[in-house]
Amino acid sequence: MAVDMRWWARLAEEVRAAGRGDVPVELPLRAVRDGLGFDCAALVATGPPSSGGAPHTAVVNLDYPAETLAHIATRYSRTCPVHRFATRRGTPVRFVDVPFDYRETRTYRDAILPNGFREGLTLPLAPPAAGAAPPGFVVMSSRRATPLDDESCLALTMLSHDLAALLDPGAEADDAPAEVVLRVTPDLVEARAGDLRRVPLTRAELRLAARAAAAGAGDRTGFHHRGADGTWWHVRAVRRPDAVVVRLGRAPALGRLTGRELDVVGLVARGWSNERISQGLGIAVRTVRIHVESSLIKLDRPNRTALARTAFERELDTLGALRAANG
């Protein structure tokens, strides 16, 4: 084996830590690339069938040129026969494993030849359920002609389920896919997956979400937030021993609720009276009553109790409600 068992054991622990959101997903991928002697590596999450195979926004790239990564995440993952062969096989595929001349493919012309790659590997990641399509893949390339040894290929296969967790670190069974995953402490906000620049919240707002999760009765807090462009995001903050993992993903429109109506609904779910909501949000009691009545109509709920239950089940909460609830 190219590296000893102790290295593989350390790598497995690092992969699992990244899958939980405890360390950046880039770290174990870099360890794989460097430890196995490749020059470039990328982690790509493929979109659901309804998206036409579009790539997920969370893509980790280690030293592939931008145009090469674009090819890998689009044309290669959608149409390349090498990728189709790797997906059907479900195990790592090296250049030497391809049962046809890969030099006849567009991938060879557009990505392999221009970069001088002489060997490579595609690892389909194990799906969460038998029969499901792989949620993504790892691809690595080398300018050396030596293929990866069989023992290392087997070890990567055994790690493929844990590596799949890197596509969406910190996810739980009922979580929607996240576009950005962050680790938040009182002193630091770090990206675990995705681009921190795409987050529609300030660092102060992220710390508010983290404090709410840390102070709550459960181990997580969920709410919705509308970005400056009008896009709704679902935010879920999960308490961990030494930090809070914050997951963000785009959300559908919330029954035509306005932002202020959602603030009110979030406080109704906490059992607040109209008078207390009025004080917490700094608006008139009559305005609160109007928002409650409008929310009942828009969400098709018969009464305040049903509205509170729906808010709790769907995490209809906001930063405005969190600010009011946390003083």
Side-chain angles (χ1 to χ4, degrees), residues 26 29-30 40-43 59-66 69:
E26 178 180 320
L29 188 64
R30 188 178 296 278
C40 306
L43 173 69
V59 176
V60 176
N61 177 33
L62 299 178
D63 296 328
Y64 277 112
L69 181 65

Side-chain angles (χ1 to χ4, degrees), residues 61 63-76 110-111 114-115:
N61 177 33
D63 296 328
Y64 277 112
E67 63 274 13
T68 303
L69 181 65
H71 175 88
I72 291 169
T74 54
R75 293 186 295 273
Y76 176 73
D110 291 357
N115 289 291

